[in-house]
């Protein structure tokens, strides 16, 4: 009996199931600026990586996929916030150069940007956090993991960089600002990088510092009555690099099946035999 025949046999009656694995990559944050010309790096942070396998998904199940947009290096004022699709925050107050945070990449059983699902968190399957944007001669923090990373502040030891999102909320040190569910935030400080999107987004930091990384999330719910996700991973800093958008790869019955990249819209994947 083939793998597919065994999986089909595991369904009840006329409801066949297949094995589906998701590999999800968060977007990288945008590069910051060399405003102070100190020689310190100002690259955006890397995104996170999550994966999980459902051993038996009913045929016909629809997954909603939102792939995060890459963070960007903004060379002049940028007022729109969030600046990047699926929760990447603009740099600082939008009046000076800096990097925006990348957007989170997520998979859910309902449609919508991640920030719109705060009242339906049990419908979210996987989230890969995004990297924070770079500041003025300061790096953005990497996203992913149970908590996104905090941005360093090599130029000013008394200024705190943007802090990473956690599993339960955002974090910040004054005068920074915390990320929220599904969104990184901008701190309204000059030359600061934007927070990366995530389960909880990264925060914006003090003047000239980088943005925090967004946290990732792996569901432990038994969504289909056939078992929760197995073979899971939730790794910080293992997603896409600075300025690169997110990605979702799907493996069906153990073999590569399909990929989804950034489009700026909600995409769907329907499980077939």
């Amino acid at each position: 009996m083939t793998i597919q025949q065994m999986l089909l046999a595991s369904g009840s009656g006329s409801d066949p199931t297949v094995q589906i694995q998701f590999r999800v990559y968060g977007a990288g944050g945008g590069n910051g600026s060399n405003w102070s010309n100190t020689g310190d790096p100002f690259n955006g942070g890397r995104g996170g990586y999550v994966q999980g396998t459902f051993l038996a998904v009913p045929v016909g199940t629809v997954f909603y996929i939102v792939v995060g947009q890459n963070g960007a290096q903004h060379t002049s004022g940028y007022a729109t916030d969030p600046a990047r699709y699926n929760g990447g925050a603009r740099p600082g107050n939008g009046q000076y150069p800096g990097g925006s945070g990348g957007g989170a990449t997520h998979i859910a059983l309902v449609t919508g940007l991640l920030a719109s699902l705060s009242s339906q968190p049990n419908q979210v399957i996987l989230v890969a956090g995004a990297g924070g944007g770079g500041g003025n001669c300061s790096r953005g923090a990497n996203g992913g993991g149970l908590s996104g990373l905090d941005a360093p502040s090599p130029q000013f030891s008394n200024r705190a960089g943007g802090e990473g999102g956690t599993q339960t909320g955002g974090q910040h040190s004054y005068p920074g600002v915390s990320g929220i569910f599904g969104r990184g935030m901008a701190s309204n400080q000059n030359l600061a990088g934007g927070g990366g999107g995530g389960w909880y987004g990264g925060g914006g930091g003090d003047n000239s510092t980088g943005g925090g990384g967004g946290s990732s999330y792996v569901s432990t719910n038994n969504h289909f009555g056939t078992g929760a996700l197995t073979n899971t991973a939730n790794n910080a800093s293992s997603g896409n690099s600075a300025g690169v958008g997110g990605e979702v790869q799907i493996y069906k019955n153990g073999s590569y099946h399909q990929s989804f990249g950034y489009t700026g819209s909600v995409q769907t994947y329907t499980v077939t035999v």
Side-chain angles (χ1 to χ4, degrees), residues 36 38 40-43 133-141 149-163 173-175 189-193 204-212:
S36 294
T38 65
D40 291 307
F42 50 88
N43 53 286
N136 167 27
C137 299
S138 297
R139 293 183 289 106
L149 301 185
D150 301 337
S153 181
Q155 186 179 179
F156 301 101
S157 60
N158 62 334
R159 297 180 185 177
E163 297 186 32
S173 298
Y174 180 83
Q189 297 292 307
N190 294 342
L191 298 163
D206 202 346
N207 183 304
S208 295
T209 64

Side-chain angles (χ1 to χ4, degrees), residues 14 31 34 55 64 69 82 96 112 125 127 154 178 181 185 189 198 210 229 247 268 273:
S14 60
N31 291 331
N34 191 33
L55 296 178
Y64 295 90
Q69 185 179 14
Y96 290 87
I125 305 295
V127 179
S178 300
F181 183 88
M185 295 297 281
Q189 297 292 307
L229 288 166
E247 183 183 7
T268 59
V273 176

Side-chain angles (χ1 to χ4, degrees), residues 29-34 42 70-76 84 91 97-100 243:
N31 291 331
S33 72
N34 191 33
F42 50 88
N70 61 291
Q73 184 180 46
H74 302 284
T75 56
S76 59
R84 312 304 280 178
S100 53

Side-chain angles (χ1 to χ4, degrees), residues 1 29 38 49 57 72 108 124 144-145 163 178-179 182 187 192 202 207 210 216 219 227 238 240 255 259 270:
M1 182 178 288
T38 65
Y49 170 80
V57 181
V124 180
E163 297 186 32
S178 300
S187 66
N207 183 304
S216 292
S219 173
S238 298
N240 288 344
S255 299
S259 291
T270 302

